[in-house]
Amino acid sequence: MTACATAAADSSTAGSSAVASAVISTAVASAAVASAGVAVLPAASAAASAAAAAPVTVAAPKIRIPDLVRATGGPRYALALAVDALGTGLLRPFLLLYGIKVLGLSSPATGVSMTAGIVVGLLAMPAVGRWLDRGARSTVVAASMLVRVVGTLLLLVVPAGSPVLFAVACLFLGIGNQAWPAAHAALVATVAHGRARDAALAAARSLRNGGMGLGALIALGALAGGPSALRGTAAVTGLSYLTAAALAWSVRIKAEPADAGSAPEPHSGPGSASRSGSRPGSRSDSHPGSQPEPAPRMAVLLAANVVYVFCLNVPEVALPLVLVTRLHAAPAWSAGIFVANTVLVVTLQVAVTVWMARFSRRTALAIAGVILTASYLGFLVATPLGHGWGAPAIAAVSVVCTLGEIVYAGAATALVTTIAPPRVLGRALTRFQVSTGFGLAVSPAVITGLAAAGPAALWGTLAAATLVSAAAVAR
């Protein structure tokens, strides 16, 4: 596929360049150390030959912030990601409270409406995939943001006591939230190649987590203002989504439909990203000379991803549940673990992803499963320690769990972009998002159900399922 962009998208103002560099520099500062011995690998080289699954260590140049910004989509697109993340953090963690406190709905009605929004959002993914496979990129990203603008506007006009209209608002928010990850990954896969693409995806995740964390802190301070303050945060969220959509649309990145059959183009150098470069013809998931990986293994990857994604709800659901109901620890422990998780993701996502480039993406994903399995077993050992030592031990093990999450997030989406045939990249990414969304949707119910049966049932089941998934991915 050949990326096309307007001349305006190729050049940015000095102001937006400064902003984009500022929001990404925190995430990539630690990557300089990690990248000292790890390459930002170029596309497949005919001269090299290596086993597709074998770990490889190679020398590498330092990762440069300007290159990373370009690989992420450019300064304006990076700014769009930051604004979108800030707005998401203002509203999404408090959407349940909005339904209860502002609209006067019952907790069950609010929860059902939010769940319905997630489910309908997943049902819309096939259409998003087909749109991406017709060459759309920044337009789809902007559309996912505009859909959420509609959702926030509906929240502002929903009368009190109306669960139906609240459900419709959640539906639009759900569609946008589910469509954005696949659209963003497709855009990055169009402008960046090789390991530069992995670093760009990691930087975007780091930036998004930082923006959402900042938005949540601002909204937390606004909660003291009651229902009117919640309405105000919803309005600001809508404005941020609208601003982000305009910025994303303005970069004008698209790709030729895959069935146009463009020939592979040479890679332009380590860490480079260009709107005029196609995805390389080779879809190797590891290093130069490896053979393209067959798409049928997507079935195994999608099944394993449903299990892997449970780790994203461990800090938000599993650990607070264990700390409060089993150990009777203060709520500050749960809050501290969540904050530490966010800080670690923001500061280490790029560095760890670059360091893991010495392994193939499939091997890195398997390693993530082993790390997560070890953390689940650590939680199992820490829980019986009781109130005095249990909470600090769980907090310590949560750092290992976060490391597994970081390795998983850095490898999974990047692996999909490399093993999927170019003609079905959009559909492959949306299938992957469906598996992610499904795992996120069912994990709270599964976690709470297993926790009711005891720590052994919870952590033992998660450990066993994750280890089996890691073994399946590694095969």
Side-chain angles (χ1 to χ4, degrees), residues 5-13 16 75-76 250-252 275:
T6 62
D10 289 325
S11 60
S12 335
T13 64
S16 60
R76 271 180 292 160
S250 72
V251 301
R252 305 286 183 91
R275 286 178 175 81

Side-chain angles (χ1 to χ4, degrees), residues 198-209:
D198 299 34
L201 290 169
R205 183 173 191 257
S206 178
L207 177 62
R208 185 166 179 80
N209 273 266

Side-chain angles (χ1 to χ4, degrees), residues 236-318:
V236 174
T237 296
L239 289 174
S240 69
Y241 286 157
L242 186 61
T243 303
L247 287 168
W249 179 82
S250 72
V251 301
R252 305 286 183 91
I253 296 173
K254 62 181 179 179
E256 287 185 1
D259 55 14
S262 59
E265 295 181 12
H267 187 64
S268 54
S272 67
S274 171
R275 286 178 175 81
S276 61
S278 67
R279 295 179 66 219
S282 169
R283 296 188 306 275
S284 166
D285 83 328
S286 53
H287 29 267
S290 58
Q291 295 299 315
E293 195 154 7
R297 296 199 69 175
M298 277 286 292
V300 175
L301 177 61
L302 295 178
N305 186 56
V306 173
V307 177
Y308 271 87
V309 82
F310 273 58
C311 73
L312 301 179
N313 271 333
V314 166
E316 298 183 29
V317 180

Side-chain angles (χ1 to χ4, degrees), residues 98-443:
Y98 191 95
I100 296 172
K101 299 294 186 181
V102 177
L103 303 181
L105 303 177
S106 65
S107 297
T110 305
V112 168
S113 297
M114 293 172 63
T115 302
I118 296 174
V119 172
V120 174
L122 293 176
L123 294 177
M125 293 309 292
V128 174
R130 289 191 294 270
W131 192 7
L132 290 170
D133 287 337
R134 288 198 293 268
R137 290 293 183 267
S138 57
T139 303
V140 185
V141 174
S144 71
M145 297 169 176
L146 287 174
V147 166
R148 284 178 285 169
V149 173
V150 175
T152 53
L153 286 176
L154 286 173
L155 285 178
L156 295 173
V157 300
V158 170
S162 176
V164 174
L165 290 179
F166 178 70
V168 174
C170 290
L171 184 152
F172 281 100
L173 291 171
I175 292 174
N177 288 333
Q178 297 299 330
W180 180 86
H184 164 71
L187 185 148
V188 173
T190 301
V191 299
H193 311 306
R195 293 294 182 169
R197 178 193 305 160
D198 299 34
L201 290 169
R205 183 173 191 257
S206 178
L207 177 62
R208 185 166 179 80
N209 273 266
M212 289 177 63
L214 178 60
L217 285 175
I218 295 172
L220 189 62
L223 287 178
S228 60
L230 282 173
R231 285 190 179 275
T233 59
V236 174
T237 296
L239 289 174
S240 69
Y241 286 157
L242 186 61
T243 303
L247 287 168
W249 179 82
S250 72
V251 301
R252 305 286 183 91
I253 296 173
K254 62 181 179 179
E256 287 185 1
D259 55 14
S262 59
E265 295 181 12
H267 187 64
S268 54
S272 67
S274 171
R275 286 178 175 81
S276 61
S278 67
R279 295 179 66 219
S282 169
R283 296 188 306 275
S284 166
D285 83 328
S286 53
H287 29 267
S290 58
Q291 295 299 315
E293 195 154 7
R297 296 199 69 175
M298 277 286 292
V300 175
L301 177 61
L302 295 178
N305 186 56
V306 173
V307 177
Y308 271 87
V309 82
F310 273 58
C311 73
L312 301 179
N313 271 333
V314 166
E316 298 183 29
V317 180
L319 295 187
L321 191 63
V322 170
L323 286 167
V324 173
T325 63
R326 291 280 174 180
L327 301 179
H328 307 289
W333 282 104
S334 300
I337 288 173
F338 182 79
V339 170
N341 173 271
T342 302
V343 171
L344 288 172
V345 170
V346 170
T347 57
L348 296 181
Q349 184 68 67
V350 176
V352 171
T353 300
V354 171
W355 191 88
M356 290 298 294
R358 64 190 65 205
F359 304 105
S360 72
R361 297 177 182 90
R362 189 175 292 279
T363 300
L365 190 56
I367 291 172
V370 173
I371 296 173
L372 290 171
T373 298
S375 71
Y376 296 153
L377 294 176
F379 291 134
L380 178 59
V381 172
T383 303
L385 296 179
H387 177 69
W389 292 99
I394 285 178
V397 175
S398 71
V399 175
V400 180
C401 186
T402 299
L403 177 60
E405 173 192 335
I406 289 171
V407 176
Y408 155 69
T413 302
L415 177 59
V416 174
T417 64
T418 54
I419 65 176
R423 67 184 182 279
V424 293
L425 174 64
R427 277 165 283 183
L429 286 169
T430 53
R431 285 171 59 202
F432 183 75
Q433 179 57 31
V434 168
S435 72
T436 300
F438 178 77
L440 289 174
V442 303
S443 56

